[in-house]
Amino acid sequence: MYMKKVLGLFLVLVAGLVSCNSNDDENGITIDGITITDDVDCCSAEEALQVYRFLQGVSIIPELSVEVDGKYNVYAYSKTGSLHTGYNELYFVATKKISGNYVKNFEVKNITPLMYMTQMNMSHSTPVSAGVESFNDGYLAVKRGWVSFLMNSSENGSWTISYDVDVLGSTGGTGNVNITVDALPDGQEWLKTFKVGDEVYVLSLVNPTDWQTGTNAIQAYVSKKSQPITTPYALATERFTIEIDPRMPDMGNHTSPDNVALTRQEDGSYVGRVNLTMTGLWRIHLTVKDAEGNIVAGGDDLKDGLSSLYWDVTI
Ligand SMILES: [Cu+2]
């Protein structure tokens, strides 16, 4: 008890010292009319400015913002501020309401997307990231996760999503929020499923809009349909190999050299290399093998000798 009091007093003293420091005008940076200051719960003003700049390159998803305990705001962002079928990267930041300063130590958890299928009168979830992590060492105050939507919103069904958050000991969450999942344009199919026995797996292609002509890193996730299906789908624990055969269907199905199969990385994603020698529609035919090298998907139902399991990417 006594030790706790001493420790508490010590923390108050430290906080007092640091906050004296951060009240010093020398430690504030004003940009776009906003003053960014050093903050003991985040970072130096310079580091906070990096976060601020990063957020200029993404767009807020207004319906996914939440106030926590009257003290904090948590904001969610995606590249465009909207969501679409397939893999969507999500970014989260937490700020103090009183100062607008970022908070570094916060946790976003239980990201739970749910689609209600009108005619079938049933609900299902979809693949999500294992967790939400700091973006990288340079952006500790930005957390990143992802959701890969199986299908778009339509008269056939509608989506909700919720997540919980913990900011410096204060807990909160969004509750179920209605969201719209847009269909991808023609010539883009970034999510496919395959079956092995009774299990259904989802192949989510990561950010192919970043690709350019020539050789590109190709990244994907393999998730496993949950039981019950209203539970978010976690990454599959099996170790697959995903062989790729990119073709241009509008140009006599010609292929390209030097493609490398996707293999499982330490972070749970699958990474390979794809060579797209020109702009246009590329159909990336997939053959999935298990850890023993047996073909488990894309091996039968061939059309013109090509797998009928594929992603479409138009660059
Ligand atoms: Cu659905």
Side-chain angles (χ1 to χ4, degrees):
M1 197 64 188
Y2 174 72
M3 278 308 289
K4 264 189 187 162
K5 270 186 188 159
V6 170
L7 184 63
L9 183 65
F10 175 72
L11 287 175
V12 168
L13 282 173
V14 170
L17 285 174
V18 173
S19 63
C20 280
N21 219 2
S22 64
N23 287 339
D24 190 339
D25 285 347
E26 300 290 306
N27 293 318
I29 298 173
T30 300
I31 179 166
D32 302 343
I34 300 163
T35 301
I36 299 170
T37 51
D38 292 358
D39 195 300
V40 65
D41 293 314
C42 180
C43 20
S44 69
E46 279 79 13
E47 287 165 327
L49 183 61
Q50 297 298 313
V51 172
Y52 177 78
R53 291 228 167 96
F54 172 82
L55 295 175
Q56 305 303 297
V58 292
S59 297
I60 199 161
I61 309 172
E63 57 268 40
L64 290 189
S65 300
V66 60
E67 187 187 294
V68 181
D69 214 8
K71 290 192 283 194
Y72 308 105
N73 286 314
V74 175
Y75 300 105
Y77 300 78
S78 70
K79 257 183 196 166
T80 58
S82 58
L83 301 164
H84 57 71
T85 312
Y87 177 92
N88 293 257
E89 214 142 85
L90 299 176
Y91 308 95
F92 299 89
V93 296
T95 63
K96 295 180 178 177
K97 290 197 72 169
I98 196 164
S99 60
N101 285 355
Y102 301 116
V103 176
K104 188 167 62 185
N105 291 315
F106 72 102
E107 201 183 348
V108 171
K109 50 194 175 182
N110 305 328
I111 298 178
T112 307
L114 198 64
M115 186 184 208
Y116 175 67
M117 305 291 292
T118 319
Q119 271 129 53
M120 299 160 88
N121 190 26
M122 56 82 91
S123 295
H124 64 83
S125 194
T126 208
V128 299
S129 53
V132 171
E133 311 247 301
S134 283
F135 187 25
N136 63 34
D137 289 347
Y139 299 105
L140 290 171
V142 181
K143 312 294 180 201
R144 179 172 59 171
W146 55 266
V147 177
S148 186
F149 292 101
L150 284 173
M151 47 206 295
N152 58 285
S153 306
S154 70
E155 66 276 13
N156 296 325
S158 55
W159 286 96
T160 60
I161 196 167
S162 66
Y163 67 84
D164 296 327
V165 65
D166 185 333
V167 190
L168 298 175
S170 294
T171 55
T174 56
N176 286 328
V177 175
N178 292 314
I179 51 168
T180 300
V181 177
D182 299 328
L184 288 173
D186 286 346
Q188 309 282 13
E189 291 187 31
W190 303 340
L191 182 144
K192 286 295 166 79
T193 61
F194 65 91
K195 251 183 132 167
V196 182
D198 290 336
E199 306 287 359
V200 176
Y201 298 87
V202 184
L203 289 160
S204 301
L205 179 61
V206 174
N207 296 342
T209 45
D210 295 342
W211 291 357
Q212 293 176 344
T213 311
T215 299
N216 296 273
I218 177 171
Q219 187 183 22
Y221 287 97
V222 183
S223 311
K224 196 177 196 170
K225 190 174 180 176
S226 299
Q227 224 29 271
I229 60 173
T230 47
T231 306
Y233 305 176
L235 292 185
T237 51
E238 294 87 342
R239 180 172 295 271
F240 297 108
T241 301
I242 307 165
E243 293 178 351
I244 53 174
D245 184 5
R247 303 277 177 152
M248 294 200 86
D250 302 330
M251 303 190 70
N253 265 332
H254 76 76
T255 183
S256 68
D258 304 326
N259 295 287
V260 178
L262 287 78
T263 53
R264 193 180 163 112
Q265 310 295 302
E266 240 170 64
D267 68 0
S269 75
Y270 284 75
V271 175
R273 295 193 77 75
V274 65
N275 183 14
L276 308 179
T277 48
M278 53 198 296
T279 56
L281 167 65
W282 286 89
R283 181 158 289 178
I284 304 169
H285 297 271
L286 307 172
T287 307
V288 183
K289 292 181 173 174
D290 66 15
E292 285 76 46
N294 306 306
I295 295 176
V296 292
D300 31 73
D301 194 22
L302 298 184
K303 293 197 175 71
D304 301 326
L306 297 170
S307 166
S308 51
L309 181 66
Y310 57 78
W311 291 308
D312 274 351
V313 177
T314 302
I315 65 164

mmCIF file of all heavy atoms in Angstrom, residues 115 117 124 151, ligand 1:
data_model
loop_
_atom_site.group_PDB
_atom_site.id
_atom_site.type_symbol
_atom_site.label_atom_id
_atom_site.label_comp_id
_atom_site.label_asym_id
_atom_site.label_seq_id
_atom_site.Cartn_x
_atom_site.Cartn_y
_atom_site.Cartn_z
ATOM 1 N N MET A 115 -22.426 -9.672 -42.109
ATOM 2 C CA MET A 115 -23.353 -9.398 -43.206
ATOM 3 C C MET A 115 -24.648 -10.154 -42.965
ATOM 4 O O MET A 115 -24.627 -11.345 -42.691
ATOM 5 C CB MET A 115 -22.755 -9.825 -44.544
ATOM 6 C CG MET A 115 -23.638 -9.429 -45.729
ATOM 7 S SD MET A 115 -23.021 -9.999 -47.300
ATOM 8 C CE MET A 115 -23.696 -8.725 -48.375
ATOM 9 N N MET A 117 -27.829 -11.513 -44.761
ATOM 10 C CA MET A 117 -28.287 -11.866 -46.110
ATOM 11 C C MET A 117 -29.814 -11.889 -46.096
ATOM 12 O O MET A 117 -30.412 -12.777 -45.478
ATOM 13 C CB MET A 117 -27.733 -13.236 -46.521
ATOM 14 C CG MET A 117 -26.214 -13.356 -46.428
ATOM 15 S SD MET A 117 -25.318 -12.369 -47.637
ATOM 16 C CE MET A 117 -25.769 -13.232 -49.152
ATOM 17 N N HIS A 124 -23.378 -13.862 -41.874
ATOM 18 C CA HIS A 124 -22.037 -14.440 -41.922
ATOM 19 C C HIS A 124 -21.019 -13.341 -41.687
ATOM 20 O O HIS A 124 -21.286 -12.170 -41.932
ATOM 21 C CB HIS A 124 -21.773 -15.140 -43.255
ATOM 22 C CG HIS A 124 -21.778 -14.216 -44.445
ATOM 23 N ND1 HIS A 124 -20.681 -13.484 -44.820
ATOM 24 C CD2 HIS A 124 -22.757 -13.909 -45.326
ATOM 25 C CE1 HIS A 124 -20.979 -12.775 -45.892
ATOM 26 N NE2 HIS A 124 -22.241 -12.994 -46.215
ATOM 27 N N MET A 151 -18.303 -10.057 -49.946
ATOM 28 C CA MET A 151 -19.200 -9.572 -50.998
ATOM 29 C C MET A 151 -19.582 -8.129 -50.718
ATOM 30 O O MET A 151 -19.357 -7.622 -49.620
ATOM 31 C CB MET A 151 -20.441 -10.467 -51.108
ATOM 32 C CG MET A 151 -21.101 -10.810 -49.786
ATOM 33 S SD MET A 151 -22.026 -12.366 -49.857
ATOM 34 C CE MET A 151 -23.297 -11.906 -51.017
HETATM 35 CU CU CU B 1 -23.152 -12.194 -47.827
#
